[in-house]
Each structure stands twice: as structure tokens, then as C-alpha cells.
Amino acid sequence: MTPEEFRTYGYAAVDWVAHFLEHTRDYPVLPDVKPGSLVDALPKSGPEQGEDFGQILEDFEREIVPRSTHWNHPRFMGYFANSSPGEGILAEMLAAALNPNAMLWKSSPAATELEQVTLDWLRQWMGISPGWFGQILDTASTSTFHAIVAARVRKGVSKGTLYASKHAHSSIEKGALAAGVAREHVRLIDVDDAFRMRMDLLEAAITEDLAAGLEPFCVIPTVGTTSVASIDPVREVLAIAKKHGMWVHVDCAYGGSTAVDPRYQPLMDGVDEADSFVVNPHKWMFVPMDLSVLYCRDKEWLRNAFSLVPEYLRTAGDERALNYHEYGLPLGRRFRSLKLWFTMRSFGREKIAAMIHQQIEDAKWLAEEMRQHPSFEVCAPVDYSLVVFRHRDGDEATQQMFEAVDRSGEVLLSPNVLAGRKVIRLAIGNIQTSREDLAVVWKLLRGVAGG
Ligand SMILES: Cc1ncc(COP(=O)(O)O)c(C=O)c1O
């Protein structure tokens, strides 16, 4: 592509994005397509000769966009919603233009140091003490995996057992398996009425494992679980873990972003005293996929687990030159911090905090509406922006309600099973979601629920 062509198509692409961001509501959240439809629509092999770029952009609009599930839609409320506002989109484009590989300080001084700067800003915004070492990884799954590997190396265990709540995200068990912990050594501890990990059962499981000659080495409480956004008692977990010399990693992938508002910092109580924690700005801080942050109390713990420096990566030592590749699995690292920097600067902490607070208020409003309605039951406390509910008439009515909403294309929710009963999750988190969007969703739900 010549610079002139880049200008022409670049302006066209930016125009398309601007229109899309302005009219995202006009698109169905969920596409009406069958599996295999894109595979069938596209040629079976790649072109021998280059094609006209205008045609490629047209095909993007015709073939790709209509088959997309729109995560950037204000009524995307399935899983945990996320957002890609203009700031992040522009940052991604500029990062691609510079195209650095932030493996070594020398291979990208700017990307390396911007990562240090933005993660220190984020730490301060969250009310976390100085001294933590942060690194950006793609997802919380990868961040948690790194924490488990570091914990295993630090504790030097071979028959290590790891503990999390029954409501912990599957990435914890997966991370443990990938880190070499045997599946039968991952303990998923039962929860109390508020879906919080039970401390008596945690203590009992550790005691039993010690008696069996196993090596309890890591506990992973969650601040904002996926299924119900419950908050494990991190401080109590720490007290138990410390007695046994165990590593505590906290999964704040979803709940952590709320700490940029000091009103929500008490929900993170204890996290500052853990060994590591993960927070995902790509979930609820309005930063586009993918950007997960792993904070570790001591960077040497990660280095001990991951540093392996072949001759071709050796650079002159300088204590201010951080070589991120020594602290994690990937060698090549994208310039992710640019989109965090753009987002933090363009919004400022107060605006981000206000938006998150508003979304939590909106979730509480909706939950209250549901509580007042004869057909709805709210199934979990609403501390964050997740509302978990069901139809009062039971599983079948809940399933029918879910399917009717799904077919509508108006909103995307996600199904789950809680205490053996079908429930529906509605997670607010997209930057464009307004009270009007919630009113649309609430009307739709009442319409399909009857009563
Ligand atoms: C609490 C929690 N932890 C971890 C994850 C995994 O996140 P990721 O997709 O970044 O790996 C999720 C995903 O929703 C989550 O809700």
C-alpha cells in the first residue's frame, strides 16, 4: 500500500469506525447466522494475486460485520461486557504503525517505559501501595497462570495443592493444570450464602492435605466472581495462608477496575497484602481487548520462574533498563500500554470512576425493579454491575425467557446454573450503555416473562 493509498483507505476506515461507534445500537447484538456461514461464504483458498483494497473493505462490511457479535454494543450484557471507545481504537492503530516488540528495553524503550508508567498510575488509582511490579499480559487466564507458576517455583513444591472457591473462574483450574499442578490437587472450596469462599472449609482442606503429605502452596480468592460477582474474604484468606506459608493470588479481573473509585476500594480489602493479583482493564475500564495486568509484590519472584536469557537477547546491564521478557512466558510483547495511556489520559480517573459508579447504580436499579415484579427473582447480591436473576416459575420458564431474549437480537445475556437452578446473567459494562438501554432490556424481559 502506498502512503497515498493508505491515506485514502485510512480515512475511509476511520469514517466507517466513527459511523459504527455512533450507530452501534442499530446493529443486532447477536448475528442471525448459522455456524460455518462465513467459511462457506469466503473463497476456499487465498488469492494468488493481490486484490483491490477498496474491495477488501467492502467485503469487511458485507461479510464480516453482519456475522459479528457486537461486544461494542451498549446492550451487550452477556459474559462481562467490555468496550472499545475511540481512544483505544486510535491507540491500536498507532501501536500497529510503530509495531514495536517490547521484549527488551532496547527493543522498545518507549513501550517498555510506558508500561511501567501506566501500571504505576493504575496502581495509584486503585489505592494500592507503592512497590508492586506490574506487567501487561493478554488475558486474566495468562496472568493467573503466571502467578501460579511463580508461586510453585517460590514454594518449591512437587505435590502442591491449590485452593479457590467453587465460584472461581475456570482459568484458575486451567492455569494450575498448565503450571503442572495435578487436577486432583486443585480444591474448589464450597461457598456461604453470599457465594463467598468458606474459611472453615478452606482451613479444613489445607489441614487434611497437610496430613496426607501434600503441599498446600497457593490460594486464589476472587473479588467479583464470574457467576455472581461475589467477593471472597481476602483478608481472612490471607490470615490462613500466612500460617501455612502459602502464596495468595487474587483474581480481581472483573471487580478490580471499580477500585479507581475510592468508594469501592473497601471491596478490595486485603488485596494490597497479597502476593499477586490480576485486574483486566479490558473488562471494565473501557480499554479494548486485550489488556490484562498482573501485579506481583516482588518482581524477582517472577524472574526466578521465567528468566532465561540466551546470548542473542543479552543486553548491556543498566538497572533502569527493564527487560520484560524475563518476567513472563512470552518473548514478543505488543505495545498494549499505549491504549491504556490514551484511555487514562483522555478520560481521567474521575470520569472512569463516575462511569463505573453509574453502571453499578444502574445494576442496582434494575435488580430493585426485578425484586418488585412477581415474575422475577434476583438470585445474588448486587455489589457490582452484574444482575443474576431467574423466572419465579422455575427452570423451564427461565430457559424460555433466555431463549426469547436471545432470538430478539436486542440484547445479549448469558445463561448459568446457580445452586442447581437455571439463572440468567446480565452484566453492565459497555461504555455506551445508558439507563434508556436498560429500560429497553427491562421492557423486553417483562414482555417475554409475562406476569
Ligand atoms: C473473575 C474472572 N477471572 C478470570 C476471567 C478470565 O478472563 P480472561 O478472558 O481475560 O482470561 C474472567 C472472565 O470473564 C473472570 O470473570
Side-chain angles (χ1 to χ4, degrees):
M1 194 178 274
T2 63
E4 214 29 66
E5 284 171 326
F6 183 80
R7 272 193 194 93
T8 304
Y9 295 124
Y11 291 138
V14 167
D15 279 342
W16 186 88
V17 173
H19 185 272
F20 175 70
L21 292 179
E22 204 176 353
H23 297 280
T24 329
R25 273 186 191 80
D26 300 343
Y27 292 79
V29 188
L30 199 62
D32 183 17
V33 284
K34 299 253 175 311
S37 98
L38 183 65
V39 171
D40 292 345
L42 296 185
K44 295 287 163 275
S45 43
E48 288 293 319
Q49 309 298 327
E51 298 181 64
D52 174 64
F53 200 78
Q55 185 61 50
I56 299 172
L57 282 181
E58 268 179 38
D59 288 346
F60 165 76
E61 269 198 80
R62 195 178 48 237
E63 307 291 359
I64 305 299
V65 178
R67 293 180 173 91
S68 296
T69 297
H70 288 295
W71 285 72
N72 232 3
H73 195 293
R75 290 195 296 277
F76 182 105
M77 297 173 181
Y79 318 109
F80 282 130
N82 66 28
S83 312
S84 179
E87 288 82 350
I89 296 171
L90 290 175
E92 287 288 51
M93 188 174 86
L94 298 176
L98 292 180
N99 199 25
N101 182 336
M103 55 192 196
L104 302 166
W105 177 84
K106 187 180 174 188
S107 73
S108 182
T112 300
E113 294 189 19
L114 194 62
E115 187 159 336
Q116 294 175 272
V117 170
T118 49
L119 298 192
D120 197 51
W121 288 5
L122 180 61
R123 172 195 66 71
Q124 293 174 47
W125 282 14
M126 295 171 69
I128 299 289
S129 333
W132 285 82
F133 170 73
Q135 70 173 306
I136 299 178
L137 291 158
D138 55 0
T139 59
S141 306
T142 306
S143 294
T144 291
F145 162 74
H146 277 71
I148 298 171
V149 173
R152 262 202 86 180
V153 170
R154 177 147 186 259
K155 302 297 174 187
V157 292
S158 58
K159 287 182 285 175
T161 47
L162 178 145
Y163 308 77
S165 106
K166 254 186 162 170
H167 281 276
H169 190 265
S170 55
S171 58
I172 292 173
E173 199 170 350
K174 221 178 183 182
L177 295 181
V181 178
R183 180 161 239 149
E184 64 274 20
H185 290 167
V186 178
R187 311 269 177 259
L188 298 180
I189 307 293
D190 214 344
V191 293
D192 64 16
D193 290 346
F195 308 100
R196 296 149 37 104
M197 196 196 303
R198 273 181 51 184
M199 294 301 97
D200 56 332
L201 297 182
L202 173 65
E203 184 104 58
I206 293 172
T207 309
E208 199 176 305
D209 285 336
L210 283 169
L214 299 172
E215 299 164 302
F217 77 103
C218 183
V219 195
I220 307 190
T222 303
V223 173
T225 57
T226 315
S227 50
V228 284
S230 54
I231 301 167
D232 288 328
V234 176
R235 195 165 285 286
E236 292 172 49
V237 167
L238 278 163
I240 294 171
K242 286 228 164 95
K243 271 197 297 197
H244 301 287
M246 297 166 74
W247 179 298
V248 177
H249 170 68
V250 191
D251 181 354
C252 316
Y254 163 66
S257 301
T258 64
V260 304
D261 184 334
R263 276 176 287 201
Y264 298 103
Q265 287 176 4
L267 300 180
M268 297 265 288
D269 183 42
V271 172
D272 202 8
E273 285 157 47
D275 297 290
S276 58
F277 65 95
V278 54
V279 55
N280 271 13
H282 79 222
K283 279 200 197 311
W284 202 7
M285 236 189 79
F286 316 115
V287 178
M289 286 281 287
D290 46 4
L291 201 154
S292 175
V293 181
L294 172 66
Y295 283 103
C296 188
R297 173 166 298 288
D298 186 337
K299 74 179 195 303
E300 291 311 308
W301 297 341
L302 285 165
R303 193 181 188 160
N304 289 341
F306 289 104
S307 179
L308 197 160
V309 187
E311 278 312 315
Y312 47 83
L313 292 177
R314 213 167 283 287
T315 49
D318 179 320
E319 61 170 38
R320 293 199 71 187
L322 179 65
N323 295 325
Y324 265 115
H325 85 91
E326 286 193 62
Y327 301 87
L329 186 64
L331 173 64
R333 307 177 75 256
R334 298 205 309 120
F335 192 1
R336 293 191 180 90
S337 57
L338 193 67
K339 59 188 168 184
L340 185 57
W341 194 51
F342 278 20
T343 305
M344 293 177 92
R345 290 190 58 193
S346 178
F347 288 95
R349 188 199 60 79
E350 282 183 11
K351 178 84 187 286
I352 292 177
M355 289 192 293
I356 289 175
H357 175 65
Q358 185 56 49
Q359 297 192 331
I360 295 174
E361 291 296 302
D362 287 347
K364 289 184 172 166
W365 169 79
L366 183 63
E368 198 44 44
E369 290 285 308
M370 287 181 175
R371 286 188 196 103
Q372 308 293 331
H373 194 286
S375 299
F376 288 82
E377 179 188 341
V378 177
C379 308
V382 179
D383 291 316
Y384 290 131
S385 67
L386 177 68
V387 184
V388 181
F389 63 96
R390 70 194 305 264
H391 199 297
R392 277 202 188 277
D393 290 349
D395 278 358
E396 203 167 314
T398 304
Q399 181 66 24
Q400 279 169 9
M401 183 159 70
F402 175 74
E403 284 171 11
V405 168
D406 217 37
R407 274 194 305 273
S408 76
E410 286 281 312
V411 54
L412 184 77
L413 305 178
S414 56
N416 201 4
V417 173
L418 193 59
R421 304 187 313 168
K422 286 196 171 169
V423 295
I424 300 175
R425 296 170 71 263
L426 184 156
I428 303 168
N430 182 269
I431 195 161
Q432 292 200 59
T433 307
S434 64
R435 203 41 96 72
E436 288 72 45
D437 287 304
L438 279 183
V440 169
V441 174
W442 180 219
K443 188 166 169 217
L444 179 70
L445 282 169
R446 276 176 300 167
V448 298

